[in-house]
Amino acid sequence: MGVNVNHRTFVIERELPGRPTHAFRFWSVHALKRRWTSCHPDWTVIEDRMDFREDGSERMIWHMPDGVEQSMLAHYLEIVPAERIVYAYTMRSGGKPISSSLVTVELTGNGTKTLMTYTEQAVFGDVRDGDIRESGTGSGFERLREVMMAALEAREASLSPS
């Protein structure tokens, strides 16, 4: 009996509002990151830790509605503020690994906007998990764009004279 794995690399690009320093904050500040990564309101958070620095880690553990424990465990390998983040992470379901990935996030300025290029090199135990991850990651980046825009609009509103 052989090992069944699905290797894949996917790249997602998004134009984000604001400069790279603004985009970087939404990756590096725990409360800001959760604005766009907390996408399962029916999951119960058991643990949520983030130590954003080179050699730091991030750990999220949830109970899904069916009682299964889901976890994401990440290790930050390289951080260049407002330019690049490289990290490795694994996802587990019911205590069993479902994927392991190496991710590079690149932020490139374009005037008052940022081009974010997200590259994930992954191995999945089941091809369906890879399909779900790629689709879900893209949806997450739509939420990222929305919360970044809302933050910029709130900032502008607070600076405009009444």
Side-chain angles (χ1 to χ4, degrees):
M1 180 176 214
V3 176
N4 181 25
V5 296
N6 173 251
H7 293 269
R8 73 169 67 187
T9 297
F10 58 92
V11 178
I12 300 173
E13 291 186 337
R14 289 291 186 273
E15 186 177 81
L16 302 173
R19 292 188 160 77
T21 52
H22 182 62
F24 185 78
R25 289 178 50 239
F26 282 85
W27 280 91
S28 61
V29 176
H30 190 197
L32 295 178
K33 188 172 185 186
R34 289 302 171 253
R35 285 187 190 175
W36 63 277
T37 60
S38 295
C39 56
H40 300 285
D42 57 339
W43 292 16
T44 304
V45 176
I46 304 303
E47 187 175 344
D48 181 1
R49 290 187 289 151
M50 183 174 165
D51 178 16
F52 188 81
R53 62 181 173 84
E54 287 184 357
D55 294 324
S57 63
E58 185 171 354
R59 182 177 177 93
M60 288 284 305
I61 301 174
W62 310 264
H63 274 137
M64 297 186 300
D66 62 5
V68 174
E69 185 176 284
Q70 183 89 5
S71 63
M72 185 283 301
L73 312 166
H75 183 81
Y76 293 102
L77 304 170
E78 181 182 343
I79 297 172
V80 180
E83 290 182 24
R84 182 175 55 254
I85 303 164
V86 180
Y87 63 98
Y89 78 103
T90 189
M91 295 290 295
R92 294 184 183 143
S93 185
K96 296 179 182 172
I98 58 173
S99 68
S100 294
S101 299
L102 176 66
V103 172
T104 304
V105 179
E106 300 167 273
L107 304 170
T108 307
N110 182 11
T112 60
K113 298 191 182 302
T114 297
L115 175 64
M116 179 187 73
T117 304
Y118 174 96
T119 305
E120 183 165 345
Q121 300 164 292
V123 60
F124 297 93
D126 184 320
V127 69
R128 291 172 299 180
D129 291 330
D131 295 341
I132 292 167
R133 174 78 48 74
E134 188 169 349
S135 172
T137 300
S139 296
F141 294 150
E142 291 307 312
R143 284 189 306 278
L144 172 60
R145 187 183 351 225
E146 290 168 10
V147 298
M148 287 179 64
M149 181 58 77
L152 285 173
E153 289 170 353
R155 182 174 179 261
E156 288 174 11
S158 71
L159 296 175
S160 67
S162 299

